[in-house]
Amino acid sequence: MLNGMKAAREIGAKVVGITGAKSDLMCGLSDVCVKVPSTSTPRIQEVHEVVYHVVSELVEAELAQGARG
């Protein structure tokens, strides 16, 4: 994962990290880092799922707006 993030940065892509409380390496490689303040894997995953859905809705809304002109 970290190598992929490094490669993305090298080609100029924006990198978004979504992690738990202990992942400073990932946040250091991210342009934006969503860091869930927990060390409990199930809690972190629950929050990540909500973040994924919100981001998906925002992207879909943006794409729909662009399609309408």
Side-chain angles (χ1 to χ4, degrees):
M1 179 88 91
L2 297 176
N3 287 335
M5 294 172 80
K6 289 175 188 175
R9 290 184 68 94
E10 287 175 6
I11 64 169
K14 296 295 182 189
V15 177
V16 177
I18 303 176
T19 186
K22 293 185 178 179
S23 188
D24 292 332
L25 288 174
M26 182 181 281
C27 284
L29 293 171
S30 301
D31 294 293
V32 175
C33 187
V34 178
K35 194 172 197 178
V36 178
S38 177
T39 57
S40 169
T41 299
R43 299 298 82 78
I44 294 166
Q45 291 172 338
E46 289 169 352
V47 174
H48 287 180
E49 188 172 343
V50 173
V51 171
Y52 300 146
H53 284 288
V54 170
V55 170
S56 293
E57 286 184 23
L58 293 170
V59 169
E60 288 174 5
E62 187 68 26
L63 291 172
Q65 183 68 23
R68 286 186 282 233

